[in-house]
Amino acid sequence: MANLLRKIFFGFPILSGLTAFFLAVIFGLFLSYKEYQLRLIDDKKAIIDLGEIIEERIQSVLFTANSSAKILSYLAQNNGLDEDFDKIGSSIIENIDILNQIQLLDSGTIVASYPIEGREKILGYNILQDTSRSSEAKEAIFRRDIYFAGPFELKQGGTAIIGRLPFFENDRFEGFASVIIDWEDFKNETIAPFIQNDRITFDLLKTDPKNLQTSSLLQKSFENLSGPLVEIPIPEGNWTIKIQLNENYAFKEILFPEFIRFLTAVLLGVFVFNFTKQPSILQKKIAETTRELQESNQRFEYASLASSEMIWDWDIKSDQVYRSPNFEKHLGYTTEELNSNSDFWFSLFHPDDREENLNRFYAFLKSSQIFWEAESRIRTKSGDYIYVLEKAFVVRNKYGKPLRIIGSTQNITGRKIREKELQETNQKLKIAIEELELSKQKYSMLFDLTPSPIIVHDSKSLQILDVNKAAVKKYGYSKEEFLALNIMDIRPEKEVPDLLEYLEEFRKSEEEGYTRLAKHLKKNGEIMDVEISPAIIKTKEMEAALALVNDLTDKMAYIRKIEEQNKTFKEIAWIQSHVVRAPLARIMGLVTLLENSNERLSKENQELVNFISISSTELDSIIRGIGKKLDNIAQNENNDSGFYFGENS
């Protein structure tokens, strides 16, 4: 059976080619159909994903508005907003960009609105009495939850959606806390990026809670569209997101792959057709090759005469060797010596190579291989040794026994000398590379083990290129996070202008040991006082700056503490020189008046006056001593303070 199929396969090349072609076409159509189904699924999923993204953006805006309405409702029910409404409204509007206006309604009547300027006419307006507004307001009361009405034209002008959150007391409806979002702002925040997509048609539908009629808010038409359709409800406003691909792109997208598969089927058919024709072609080739081989052998005979290589032919059975005249030219031996037998050639091997070369050669003869190649050192007639490369082809019988070997011997002494020189050069280069690598490792260790942070950045883009371990530890960023930053990211925002000025100053400075004080920002937001010592690193590709950072935060805190102490010393000095000394001076003056008085004092009063005089003198001496000590401290801490205590006060 197998022979019959082989005969048919190779006997009818056209039939074999067409069979292969049709099988490949059928398989390609099957693959295209499966690919088409997968692409339909992908298109459907893409539309669903897009709808979910839009839904998420809308829900995010509605959630923000709902949160604001709940805050307003809570404050209205618990604290009253008569006096604070504008303040609270201002806070809400300023902090939530999407909101344009907030309102408070007593039952259905608008009693407060922010901002009110230009909108005064809406105060007192009762939405429950307006038939064009009441249905959606009543829907919010019915749901007992926020409901977003609109979009529609506002009484105060403009188009917006209004989120009304009803609030109740003892299950009785009291009023609404309302938030107003401009319709254009709402569209820009939620759906604007998707409206202009050429591949899809997008619309936002609104269902009236009163008559359940649905209307298009974006006035889009879905007629003649063939792509997958998705509708996602937004119950908070009775809206529906409607998205549909404009056409079925899956079919278009498989046309090119199907064309490639068809082309592959054609090529396969052609290949099989040509393959099945090979046996007949091969027979012709054999005849041509036989003739060409005969011609080639003749050319080889001529080439051996003209070539610089040494050609040899060894008949193993008779041990007869033929060697071309080039052997005599390169080695100096006579033709008779060279052609005597194989042992003569083996005797010329270098003693260090002879045993290994003979073992390898005889192992080759015992193997089934037919090509031989080896390098050897051969002794010349003069006693010198040259390097030779031997290549040979062995002719074996049907049992694999070698009968004849034909080969060439090439003098490669010059090449070996150059190889040796190259090896020596490579060894020197290897040593230099190892020394360079060792130097690189030392630099890397020095860079990573330096206890102070080191930051390397590109001088032009300011992108951080490398940091050491100390920088990672000090700043709190991982190395990967650091490499995603530039140096402005680790500076407080108000420091950025100073940074750019400092960089320009540093580029122009020729001063060695250039340093500068600055403030750096850690990952956790903490600000450090640092001293920066920069250096320029230049390569062929770029210019970078290396900054050694010294954390001065503790030192600066200590200096500020000393300054606070100096301030306290000044206050003490003022107290002792103005507050304490003044009453003491008055006491001492009174004692002096009593001592110099013309009235004679009793003995007991005289003793009291003397005691007061001695005590005030001692107290004055103590105060002066304290002043001298404070004076010494102040002069040591701040020689420019201009404050002196004690005697000089």
Side-chain angles (χ1 to χ4, degrees):
M1 185 66 180
N3 291 331
L4 178 60
L5 291 176
R6 188 181 297 109
K7 185 177 180 180
I8 295 174
F9 182 72
F10 289 100
F12 303 92
I14 295 178
L15 177 61
S16 300
L18 289 175
T19 301
F21 167 75
F22 284 116
L23 288 175
V25 167
I26 292 171
F27 182 71
L29 289 173
F30 173 77
L31 290 180
S32 297
Y33 174 71
K34 290 297 182 182
E35 184 178 359
Y36 173 74
Q37 290 181 318
L38 290 175
R39 290 185 183 274
L40 284 178
I41 294 172
D42 289 341
D43 288 346
K44 181 72 173 181
K45 184 177 182 301
I47 290 297
I48 293 174
D49 291 343
L50 180 59
E52 290 176 349
I53 291 172
I54 297 173
E55 179 190 16
E56 182 179 347
R57 293 171 71 101
I58 293 176
Q59 289 291 359
S60 175
V61 171
L62 299 186
F63 176 82
T64 301
N66 190 14
S67 299
S68 303
K70 286 182 177 179
I71 293 172
L72 187 62
S73 172
Y74 174 83
L75 295 175
Q77 294 179 77
N78 293 276
N79 300 326
L81 296 173
D82 294 339
E83 298 180 358
D84 297 330
F85 183 85
D86 287 348
K87 181 178 179 182
I88 293 170
S90 174
S91 176
I92 293 174
I93 295 298
E94 290 177 0
N95 287 282
I96 303 176
D97 294 336
I98 194 63
L99 298 183
N100 300 98
Q101 190 177 354
I102 63 172
Q103 294 178 349
L104 185 64
L105 287 77
D106 183 6
S107 184
T109 303
I110 300 175
V111 296
S113 178
Y114 184 87
I116 191 61
E117 185 177 354
R119 303 177 178 91
E120 292 83 359
K121 64 180 180 180
I122 64 174
L123 295 179
Y125 168 57
N126 191 325
I127 63 173
L128 295 177
Q129 295 178 358
D130 187 341
T131 56
S132 64
R133 301 285 186 265
S134 61
S135 61
E136 293 192 296
K138 291 176 181 179
E139 179 69 15
I141 298 173
F142 173 75
R143 294 187 179 194
R144 302 180 71 89
D145 198 0
I146 193 167
Y147 178 80
F148 288 87
F152 49 70
E153 292 290 330
L154 301 177
K155 292 290 184 182
Q156 59 270 35
T159 303
I161 61 173
I162 302 179
R164 298 190 181 101
L165 177 65
F167 52 88
F168 301 83
E169 184 175 345
N170 296 327
D171 208 36
R172 184 172 63 87
F173 170 67
E174 291 292 322
F176 293 104
S178 299
V179 291
I180 299 177
I181 304 173
D182 182 79
W183 176 235
E184 292 301 324
D185 291 345
F186 179 82
K187 289 195 295 183
N188 290 336
E189 185 70 20
T190 57
I191 61 179
F194 311 101
I195 294 177
Q196 303 302 325
N197 192 323
D198 295 332
R199 288 172 59 90
I200 65 169
T201 297
F202 169 78
D203 201 356
L204 192 62
L205 308 179
K206 174 75 174 186
T207 301
D208 192 317
K210 184 177 180 180
N211 54 30
L212 300 181
Q213 291 184 351
T214 300
S215 59
S216 170
L217 299 181
L218 303 180
Q219 304 302 317
K220 296 289 185 178
S221 173
F222 287 81
E223 293 183 3
N224 302 321
L225 302 185
S226 59
L229 171 68
V230 172
E231 293 185 350
I232 301 174
I234 305 293
E236 290 85 349
N238 273 8
W239 298 321
T240 300
I241 299 170
K242 186 175 182 180
I243 309 175
Q244 186 173 8
L245 275 178
N246 292 339
E247 57 182 292
N248 187 347
Y249 294 98
F251 181 76
K252 286 185 176 180
E253 291 171 347
I254 68 166
L255 290 179
F256 180 75
E258 177 55 27
F259 171 75
I260 296 299
R261 294 185 182 107
F262 179 81
L263 183 61
T264 303
V266 172
L267 294 176
L268 179 62
V270 173
F271 171 78
V272 171
F273 170 76
N274 289 324
F275 178 76
T276 53
K277 290 178 62 178
Q278 292 306 308
S280 59
I281 296 174
L282 185 59
Q283 290 178 355
K284 294 180 181 179
K285 287 288 185 182
I286 291 173
E288 293 176 2
T289 302
T290 302
R291 179 175 52 80
E292 291 174 355
L293 183 59
Q294 293 173 346
E295 294 175 354
S296 177
N297 287 336
Q298 188 176 20
R299 285 195 298 269
F300 172 76
E301 292 177 1
Y302 294 140
S304 64
L305 297 175
S307 173
S308 63
E309 293 188 1
M310 298 169 274
I311 308 300
W312 53 275
D313 185 354
W314 177 24
D315 187 330
I316 297 176
K317 184 176 182 180
S318 64
D319 198 24
Q320 293 296 312
V321 181
Y322 163 78
R323 299 187 187 278
S324 69
N326 281 333
F327 274 94
E328 184 176 357
K329 177 181 176 181
H330 287 282
L331 301 178
Y333 298 104
T334 64
T335 303
E336 291 74 15
E337 291 175 312
L338 292 167
N339 293 343
S340 57
N341 55 53
S342 59
D343 291 337
F344 176 76
W345 179 255
F346 294 147
S347 68
L348 300 181
F349 286 155
H350 192 284
D352 295 341
D353 302 339
R354 183 177 295 118
E355 182 176 358
E356 179 183 356
N357 285 346
L358 288 176
N359 290 338
R360 289 180 57 205
F361 181 72
Y362 287 124
F364 163 71
L365 291 180
K366 292 178 181 179
S367 71
S368 60
Q369 298 177 15
I370 60 174
F371 293 104
W372 161 259
E373 182 175 329
E375 291 184 2
S376 307
R377 287 180 288 179
I378 299 297
R379 188 180 69 249
T380 65
K381 186 77 171 182
S382 63
D384 298 326
Y385 283 90
I386 64 171
Y387 285 93
V388 297
L389 172 64
E390 290 191 288
K391 296 181 180 180
F393 171 78
V394 62
V395 178
R396 300 180 184 271
N397 62 17
K398 62 181 180 179
Y399 302 107
K401 183 178 179 179
L403 302 176
R404 183 181 177 188
I405 302 178
I406 302 96
S408 67
T409 302
Q410 182 182 2
N411 186 350
I412 59 171
T413 304
R415 192 191 79 185
K416 298 297 289 188
I417 292 173
R418 290 191 295 273
E419 286 180 356
K420 185 177 180 181
E421 293 174 349
L422 183 60
Q423 288 176 353
E424 293 175 352
T425 302
N426 288 341
Q427 184 63 26
K428 292 179 182 178
L429 181 60
K430 182 179 179 182
I431 294 172
I433 292 173
E434 289 175 351
E435 291 176 351
L436 180 62
E437 185 64 27
L438 181 61
S439 175
K440 181 179 178 181
Q441 291 175 0
K442 289 180 179 179
Y443 165 76
S444 179
M445 291 176 62
L446 178 63
F447 181 77
D448 280 331
L449 298 179
T450 299
S452 296
I454 298 177
I455 301 174
V456 181
H457 69 269
D458 187 289
S459 296
K460 293 183 178 179
S461 68
L462 306 184
Q463 184 71 27
I464 294 178
L465 304 175
D466 199 3
V467 294
N468 65 352
K469 294 179 180 178
V472 171
K473 182 178 180 182
K474 175 65 70 175
Y475 288 80
Y477 293 103
S478 66
K479 188 166 185 177
E480 292 72 18
E481 291 174 327
F482 253 122
L483 299 183
L485 305 175
N486 64 47
I487 58 172
M488 291 190 290
D489 295 327
I490 60 172
R491 286 293 192 98
E493 186 176 350
K494 64 181 181 180
E495 288 276 316
V496 171
D498 292 340
L499 168 63
L500 300 177
E501 180 182 342
Y502 142 69
L503 290 174
E504 184 65 25
E505 177 184 320
F506 170 60
R507 291 190 187 99
K508 296 179 179 179
S509 175
E510 298 180 356
E511 176 186 352
E512 294 186 3
Y514 181 88
T515 60
R516 188 180 179 94
L517 297 179
K519 293 185 182 295
H520 277 195
L521 192 64
K522 293 185 179 181
K523 182 179 180 180
N524 61 8
E526 180 182 340
I527 295 177
M528 299 187 295
D529 292 297
V530 297
E531 179 186 54
I532 302 174
S533 301
I536 293 295
I537 303 173
K538 292 184 178 180
T539 65
K540 292 181 179 180
E541 293 78 14
M542 64 182 299
E543 178 181 300
L546 180 147
L548 178 65
V549 181
N550 184 19
D551 186 1
L552 301 179
T553 305
D554 293 339
K555 183 177 180 180
M556 297 301 291
Y558 177 74
I559 291 173
R560 286 190 288 270
K561 182 178 179 182
I562 293 300
E563 291 174 347
E564 289 294 329
Q565 289 178 347
N566 285 343
K567 182 179 179 181
T568 303
F569 288 152
K570 294 173 185 178
E571 292 175 354
I572 294 172
W574 190 89
I575 292 171
Q576 75 90 20
S577 62
H578 295 84
V579 179
V580 178
R581 292 287 302 280
L584 177 61
R586 289 194 294 271
I587 292 172
M588 294 177 69
L590 291 173
V591 170
T592 302
L593 288 175
L594 290 173
E595 288 178 342
N596 297 329
S597 175
N598 294 327
E599 295 182 5
R600 187 175 183 80
L601 301 175
S602 65
K603 183 177 181 181
E604 293 180 354
N605 289 338
Q606 185 63 48
E607 290 178 354
L608 289 173
V609 170
N610 292 337
F611 180 74
I612 292 172
S613 177
I614 294 171
S615 297
S616 61
T617 302
E618 290 178 354
L619 181 58
D620 182 57
S621 176
I622 291 171
I623 292 173
R624 291 177 182 275
I626 293 173
K628 289 180 179 180
K629 292 181 178 180
L630 292 174
D631 185 38
N632 291 335
I633 293 173
Q635 291 187 54
N636 289 334
E637 295 294 337
N638 187 357
N639 290 328
D640 297 327
S641 65
F643 282 86
Y644 297 93
F645 313 104
E647 293 291 347
N648 296 328
S649 63

